[in-house]
Amino acid sequence: QDQANGFRTQYFPKTKTIPELYEMVNKYKPEVVWSDGEWLASDDYWTSKEFLAWLYNDSPVKESVVTNDRWGNDTLCKHGGYYTCSDNFNPGTIQSHKFEDATTMDKGGWGIRTE
C-alpha cells in the first residue's frame, strides 16, 4: 500500500514494524538490533530517527544496545554502531568505524535456490 503510493503514507511502519520493534526491545532486551529493507524508502518513512532516539535514550537496553546502519535508503555507511555499507562490503583497509562484511554463502544471492 505505502510503496504503491510512493511512500506518501506510513501504514506499514506505523502499524507493523515500529510497534514490533518496541515490543521486541521491551520484551527480549536484545543487545543488537539489526535492521534491513532500508533501500525502499527514507529514514523519515520508516520513522527510524524517533525509534533510534528512544532506543538509545529511554529503552531498557539504552546502555548496551548496538545497531547497524540500515534504517533508511539515506543511512548506509553513515549512521549506526557498525556499518554494513553494502552486501559483500570489504574495504580492504583498516576502517575507523566498525563494520560487518555481510556475505552470502551462495554466490547467486540471499534467497533459497531450489535448483
Side-chain angles (χ1 to χ4, degrees):
Q1 179 179 353
D2 294 340
Q3 186 174 2
N5 68 34
F7 299 103
R8 288 187 303 273
T9 57
Q10 294 175 305
Y11 177 78
F12 187 69
K14 289 191 175 186
T15 62
K16 177 80 172 144
T17 56
I18 295 300
E20 287 181 1
L21 281 167
Y22 280 105
E23 178 184 11
M24 179 188 69
V25 170
N26 283 313
K27 186 173 184 177
Y28 299 107
K29 298 171 182 51
E31 295 290 314
V32 176
V33 178
W34 194 90
S35 182
D36 196 15
E38 83 294 337
W39 62 87
L40 290 173
S42 72
D43 60 323
D44 289 330
Y45 166 77
W46 292 111
T47 66
S48 300
K49 291 178 211 141
E50 294 83 355
F51 173 75
L52 291 169
W54 171 81
L55 184 68
Y56 281 110
N57 292 298
D58 299 315
S59 80
V61 294
K62 65 183 178 187
E63 300 297 328
S64 59
V65 71
V66 176
T67 64
N68 66 349
D69 59 351
R70 294 182 177 203
W71 295 92
N73 60 14
D74 47 356
T75 63
L76 277 180
C77 237
K78 296 178 186 170
H79 304 286
Y82 63 96
Y83 295 158
T84 301
C85 297
S86 63
D87 293 343
N88 304 304
F89 176 69
N90 186 342
T93 61
I94 295 175
Q95 299 294 294
S96 61
H97 194 82
K98 291 178 174 42
F99 72 94
E100 72 170 326
D101 180 2
T103 303
T104 179
M105 294 172 64
D106 183 340
K107 292 180 182 179
W110 289 97
I112 298 172
R113 218 172 353 152
T114 57
E115 71 274 350

